[in-house]
Amino acid sequence: MFETAHKQVVESPTPSQSPASQTAQLNVAESRLDPLSGDWTIFATERSKRPDDFIDQVPGVKTDVECPFCQGNESTTPPAVWVGQIPETARILGSISDCDESPIDDWSVRVVPNKYPALNDICEAEMDSFRVSPSHRDSNLFRSQPICGGHEVIIESRRHVKSLTQLDMAEIDLVFQAYRDRLKHYRSMPGIAYTNVFKNVGRTAGASLTHAHSQLIATDRMPRIVESRVDRMRRHRAETGCCLSCDLLRAERKAKQRVVACDDTLIAYCPFASHLPMLVRLTTLEHQACFEDLGDRVLESVSRMVYRVITWLERLRPGTAYNYYINTRPPGIKDPTDSFHWSLDIFPRMTQVAGFEWSSGCMINPVFPETAAAMYRKCVSAENPRRFR
Amino acid sequence: MFETAHKQVVESPTPSQSPASQTAQLNVAESRLDPLSGDWTIFATERSKRPDDFIDQVPGVKTDVECPFCQGNESTTPPAVWVGQIPETARILGSISDCDESPIDDWSVRVVPNKYPALNDICEAEMDSFRVSPSHRDSNLFRSQPICGGHEVIIESRRHVKSLTQLDMAEIDLVFQAYRDRLKHYRSMPGIAYTNVFKNVGRTAGASLTHAHSQLIATDRMPRIVESRVDRMRRHRAETGCCLSCDLLRAERKAKQRVVACDDTLIAYCPFASHLPMLVRLTTLEHQACFEDLGDRVLESVSRMVYRVITWLERLRPGTAYNYYINTRPPGIKDPTDSFHWSLDIFPRMTQVAGFEWSSGCMINPVFPETAAAMYRKCVSAENPRRFR
């Protein structure tokens, strides 16, 4: 067929005639390097002006399904490994008095093993035996291993609420306490190399249930990109004597334009080379390697700041799907120079990982972080500070 | 708040009592290493049994929008840089006689610069000047650079068809000829480091228009994961004297269970450590670094095999969103030992990149490639070979 096909090669128009080139001259696409990941991200605001054949739809939600996370349905999940209760005083002062009818199974936040785990739930002794056993290899080309650790669900409320912003502040504080306690639990378990707390909200963010919840995965394997991130932080410390994240924070505070909010302990900003649109990074101004080592007061500030960021997101993009995750120093990392710095990234799901991104690993971001930060700052100006205190 | 919260830590049940652990013992989650990427992927079939609150919806499509890719609307796109026409004989024998009313703008496949480019469309001379100019750096922490090259759309038919399987075989052949010619064009352009041909079908795969099309991006920057993939192939060649992909093919053919189809030139298989569910990899049995160096006969086999894979996908998952991309040796790569091997990956969009995947880079795949290959082989048995010859 190819031999007989008639083909005509048309010369490219010169730049002055090319509409695409004219556009490009007005809106130069820019790539930015993320010093933490080593990845270049392409910023191309033109992309968001594309015509769109598809109708925006918020995924429908089934109404006839019994929610396994609601109070009263505790037997449908594995037994809890952590339970947090709001003290009597908080219950009187708080806004969750509608739950008072059920004194049985009186919990506010509940952590259970995931019933559909991504990895094998192995107790400490078994972890140890897995570690010393040789890896199961068919050959060097087909290497496989059982993957062990823990996969837990943090059920954020006994009420069937969908957003963290519908929780009482006392519940939110408990959620972050649960993160801290469970991360500490896995950190102390022999063989655990990596821990990750994350939250998926909405179908396009990977959630399957709508009841407010987050998850924790702890594994005996160190992901390659986490290792590479740690290496970069380590190299920066060796070369400059400083923590890379602390240096970035200082530079962002000096540059100002990407900072969204700052208090005496925390900063929330849109990173210069953000690989995803509207991503907000939250961390402590003071150097701190591990989220799970945060003191009570700082942890409380973190939970309030996360609450605020989600209210901004919900204001800017009502019904948006979003994710957050906590980068904390992986237990498997030897870090004698204290080069790691924890952070929490929150981002709405605005773009798809498409063919180009899958094959190149290079993200195309249609929103500059300066624009995103300005949008968030408008939300800060409009917020009622009493709401989150 | 944290100081006063009453907290109760519940002991984890022993493995014999834990439902999660019982599940795990029946279905051990496995991780597999991809020797090409260096990434471990978690295979966890239990994940697909999760309850789901969301209703599956195929995104709605607007009907009142004029399609810029249809015949007659050529003026709404930048001028074509490549045009392919099916010869008269093919038109009589083929199935596209319904298009014969319009002898004007008589094209079958048309390549145009993307009107909403992800990068700056710079002509050869400008590329050169960009290359020698210093990078625009605010500081070492805030590094940015204009990103240059080309971003093109391959319009696969003048008719408003949505799937490549609705094309005539002669049109499909032209599409693959266009890929080859445009990749060659950019390979010969000074300063181009990386080229990528990809296809996004359906909203969740990143498409914005439904008219059958694919895209090409050529850039002056080498993506980090592509560089790392090249390094692995190079190291394998240095250590063993063999091409890593050729070794993988041989091993897959010997193992048999993940091979879907094989002819005298091509193999289609589900890779052992596939990071995405139901992914099919297609490549030449014979060592070949660059897709754009394929001869006419082999290229024709590739276009027919891609057509077949998409018919299988559409049979197994009607209306599915999917992507494909071509990995070809990047022009910026020095490869004196000829260690690179081209491939084309096709995959339906079944899972979301969620919080865990974004932060760890580690994918969770709910379908073992052995299962996927068996499903595809059933489609092979049911297919009518006359359809694609």
Side-chain angles (χ1 to χ4, degrees):
Chain A
M1 175 54 62
F2 292 162
E3 292 80 356
T4 56
H6 171 63
K7 209 174 56 197
Q8 177 198 347
V9 175
V10 183
E11 283 308 302
S12 297
T14 60
S16 63
Q17 296 165 324
S18 151
S21 180
Q22 280 165 15
T23 307
Q25 278 160 20
L26 291 173
N27 299 282
V28 175
E30 183 180 325
S31 62
R32 295 182 173 190
L33 180 72
D34 182 346
L36 286 164
S37 68
D39 285 321
W40 287 93
T41 286
I42 300 175
F43 289 85
T45 51
E46 283 305 296
R47 298 294 289 157
S48 53
K49 296 177 191 159
R50 285 179 291 174
D52 193 347
D53 273 355
F54 295 98
I55 297 163
D56 275 327
Q57 281 167 320
V58 175
V61 172
K62 295 170 192 161
T63 50
D64 56 344
V65 185
E66 188 80 8
C67 173
F69 295 165
C70 279
Q71 191 179 37
N73 296 343
E74 288 82 0
S75 65
T76 64
T77 68
V81 292
W82 190 98
V83 166
Q85 284 163 315
I86 295 168
E88 207 64 31
T89 48
R91 198 176 301 142
I92 292 162
L93 297 170
S95 60
I96 55 163
S97 53
D98 51 332
C99 298
D100 278 359
E101 306 88 62
S102 301
I104 309 157
D105 302 324
D106 191 13
W107 54 275
S108 306
V109 171
R110 190 169 170 258
V111 181
V112 298
N114 196 312
K115 203 171 170 180
Y116 306 92
L119 63 176
N120 306 305
D121 179 23
I122 303 286
C123 75
E124 202 167 312
E126 285 169 311
M127 276 293 298
D128 237 20
S129 73
F130 261 109
R131 272 198 309 149
V132 293
S133 72
S135 70
H136 303 217
R137 296 184 188 189
D138 291 333
S139 76
N140 268 337
L141 296 175
F142 298 152
R143 286 179 61 188
S144 69
Q145 261 186 320
I147 185 154
C148 305
H151 187 174
E152 299 180 347
V153 179
I154 296 98
I155 305 169
E156 297 168 3
S157 175
R158 55 189 171 190
R159 294 171 295 142
H160 192 67
V161 295
K162 293 176 185 175
S163 171
L164 193 130
T165 58
Q166 293 170 284
L167 301 188
D168 187 82
M169 271 306 157
E171 286 174 302
I172 301 178
D173 288 342
L174 274 182
V175 168
F176 279 78
Q177 270 191 286
Y179 294 167
R180 183 174 65 178
D181 285 5
R182 297 310 293 165
L183 284 171
K184 274 189 183 165
H185 168 80
Y186 281 106
R187 181 169 73 175
S188 69
M189 192 183 273
I192 291 295
Y194 174 67
T195 52
N196 186 314
V197 162
F198 59 99
K199 185 171 173 71
N200 307 332
V201 176
R203 160 59 62 94
T204 51
S208 53
L209 294 175
T210 53
H211 189 125
H213 70 285
S214 23
Q215 296 178 69
L216 181 150
I217 285 183
T219 81
D220 57 349
R221 209 71 42 78
M222 183 76 67
R224 197 176 53 83
I225 69 157
V226 176
E227 204 152 36
S228 129
R229 190 188 174 95
V230 170
D231 278 348
R232 291 182 165 272
M233 290 174 132
R234 205 181 269 149
R235 227 176 304 143
H236 186 88
R237 176 69 101 180
E239 284 165 11
T240 66
C242 300
C243 161
L244 176 53
S245 291
C246 288
D247 276 352
L248 279 167
L249 292 191
R250 269 189 290 269
E252 290 290 7
R253 289 183 83 183
K254 200 176 155 199
K256 285 197 181 93
Q257 54 187 335
R258 287 173 297 272
V259 176
V260 180
C262 213
D263 63 22
D264 53 339
T265 51
L266 293 179
I267 182 169
Y269 68 101
C270 300
F272 170 78
S274 184
H275 64 303
L276 291 167
M278 306 289 294
L279 181 145
V280 178
R281 181 160 294 157
L282 184 61
T283 188
T284 37
L285 291 170
E286 213 161 88
H287 179 73
Q288 176 61 265
C290 297
F291 170 87
E292 61 271 26
D293 287 334
L294 294 178
D296 288 341
R297 198 182 64 84
V298 180
L299 193 63
E300 203 172 307
S301 299
V302 171
S303 66
R304 269 145 186 70
M305 189 67 96
V306 170
Y307 170 89
R308 289 173 69 192
V309 177
I310 298 173
T311 60
W312 305 335
L313 268 184
E314 290 177 347
R315 188 188 170 108
L316 292 171
R317 301 183 58 81
T320 189
Y322 67 89
N323 298 99
Y324 67 65
Y325 55 75
I326 297 173
N327 289 314
T328 187
R329 182 170 64 200
I333 288 292
K334 304 271 172 290
D335 186 18
T337 59
D338 194 26
S339 50
F340 201 92
H341 191 129
W342 82 278
S343 64
L344 185 151
D345 287 353
I346 311 184
F347 48 96
R349 300 302 289 264
M350 295 170 60
T351 49
Q352 293 291 344
V353 183
F356 177 74
E357 291 85 350
W358 276 120
S359 53
S360 68
C362 177
M363 302 302 295
I364 301 172
N365 185 341
V367 186
F368 275 101
E370 293 77 14
T371 312
M375 290 166 79
Y376 285 125
R377 279 194 302 265
K378 274 195 188 163
C379 296
V380 174
S381 320
E383 89 192 337
N384 173 5
R386 287 185 58 195
R387 209 172 145 200
F388 47 86
R389 264 175 204 152
Chain B
M1 174 54 62
F2 292 162
E3 293 79 355
T4 55
H6 172 63
K7 208 174 55 198
Q8 174 196 349
V9 176
V10 183
E11 283 309 303
S12 297
T14 61
S16 61
Q17 297 164 324
S18 152
S21 179
Q22 278 165 18
T23 307
Q25 278 160 20
L26 291 173
N27 299 282
V28 176
E30 185 181 324
S31 62
R32 294 181 173 190
L33 180 72
D34 183 346
L36 287 164
S37 68
D39 285 321
W40 287 93
T41 286
I42 300 175
F43 289 85
T45 51
E46 284 304 298
R47 298 295 289 156
S48 52
K49 295 177 191 156
R50 284 178 291 174
D52 192 347
D53 273 355
F54 295 98
I55 297 163
D56 274 326
Q57 279 167 321
V58 176
V61 172
K62 296 170 192 162
T63 51
D64 56 344
V65 185
E66 188 79 8
C67 174
F69 294 165
C70 279
Q71 190 179 37
N73 297 342
E74 289 83 359
S75 64
T76 63
T77 69
V81 292
W82 191 98
V83 167
Q85 283 163 316
I86 295 167
E88 207 63 32
T89 49
R91 197 177 302 142
I92 292 162
L93 297 171
S95 61
I96 55 162
S97 54
D98 51 329
C99 298
D100 277 0
E101 305 88 62
S102 302
I104 308 157
D105 302 326
D106 191 13
W107 54 274
S108 305
V109 172
R110 190 169 172 259
V111 181
V112 297
N114 196 312
K115 204 170 168 181
Y116 306 92
L119 63 176
N120 307 307
D121 179 23
I122 302 286
C123 75
E124 202 166 313
E126 285 169 311
M127 276 293 298
D128 237 19
S129 73
F130 260 109
R131 272 197 311 149
V132 293
S133 71
S135 70
H136 303 217
R137 297 183 187 190
D138 290 334
S139 77
N140 268 337
L141 297 174
F142 297 152
R143 285 180 60 188
S144 70
Q145 259 185 323
I147 184 154
C148 306
H151 188 174
E152 299 182 348
V153 180
I154 297 99
I155 305 169
E156 298 169 3
S157 175
R158 55 189 172 188
R159 294 171 295 141
H160 192 67
V161 295
K162 293 177 187 174
S163 170
L164 192 130
T165 59
Q166 292 170 284
L167 302 188
D168 186 81
M169 271 305 156
E171 287 175 302
I172 301 178
D173 289 342
L174 274 182
V175 168
F176 279 79
Q177 271 193 283
Y179 294 168
R180 184 175 62 179
D181 285 4
R182 296 311 293 166
L183 284 171
K184 274 188 181 165
H185 168 81
Y186 282 106
R187 182 170 70 176
S188 69
M189 192 183 274
I192 290 294
Y194 175 67
T195 53
N196 188 313
V197 163
F198 59 99
K199 186 171 171 70
N200 306 333
V201 177
R203 160 59 61 95
T204 51
S208 55
L209 294 176
T210 54
H211 188 126
H213 71 285
S214 22
Q215 297 178 70
L216 181 149
I217 286 183
T219 80
D220 58 349
R221 208 71 42 77
M222 183 75 69
R224 196 176 53 82
I225 70 157
V226 177
E227 204 152 37
S228 130
R229 190 189 174 95
V230 170
D231 278 347
R232 292 181 164 271
M233 290 173 132
R234 205 181 268 149
R235 227 177 304 144
H236 186 87
R237 177 68 100 180
E239 283 165 12
T240 67
C242 300
C243 160
L244 176 52
S245 291
C246 287
D247 276 352
L248 279 168
L249 292 190
R250 270 189 288 271
E252 290 290 8
R253 289 183 83 184
K254 199 175 155 200
K256 286 197 180 90
Q257 54 188 332
R258 286 173 298 272
V259 176
V260 180
C262 213
D263 62 23
D264 53 339
T265 51
L266 293 179
I267 182 170
Y269 68 102
C270 300
F272 170 79
S274 184
H275 63 303
L276 291 167
M278 305 290 294
L279 180 145
V280 178
R281 181 161 295 157
L282 185 61
T283 188
T284 38
L285 291 170
E286 214 163 85
H287 179 73
Q288 175 62 266
C290 297
F291 170 88
E292 60 271 27
D293 288 333
L294 294 179
D296 288 342
R297 199 183 63 84
V298 180
L299 193 62
E300 204 172 305
S301 300
V302 171
S303 66
R304 270 145 185 71
M305 190 67 96
V306 170
Y307 170 89
R308 289 172 69 191
V309 177
I310 298 172
T311 60
W312 307 335
L313 268 185
E314 290 178 346
R315 189 189 168 105
L316 292 171
R317 301 182 60 81
T320 189
Y322 66 88
N323 298 99
Y324 67 66
Y325 54 75
I326 297 174
N327 288 315
T328 188
R329 182 171 62 200
I333 287 292
K334 303 271 171 290
D335 186 18
T337 60
D338 193 26
S339 49
F340 201 91
H341 191 129
W342 83 277
S343 64
L344 185 152
D345 288 352
I346 311 184
F347 49 95
R349 299 302 290 263
M350 296 170 61
T351 48
Q352 293 290 344
V353 183
F356 177 72
E357 291 85 351
W358 277 120
S359 52
S360 68
C362 176
M363 302 302 294
I364 301 173
N365 185 341
V367 185
F368 275 101
E370 294 77 14
T371 312
M375 290 166 79
Y376 285 125
R377 279 195 302 266
K378 274 194 189 165
C379 297
V380 175
S381 320
E383 88 193 337
N384 174 4
R386 287 185 57 193
R387 210 172 144 196
F388 48 86
R389 263 175 206 154

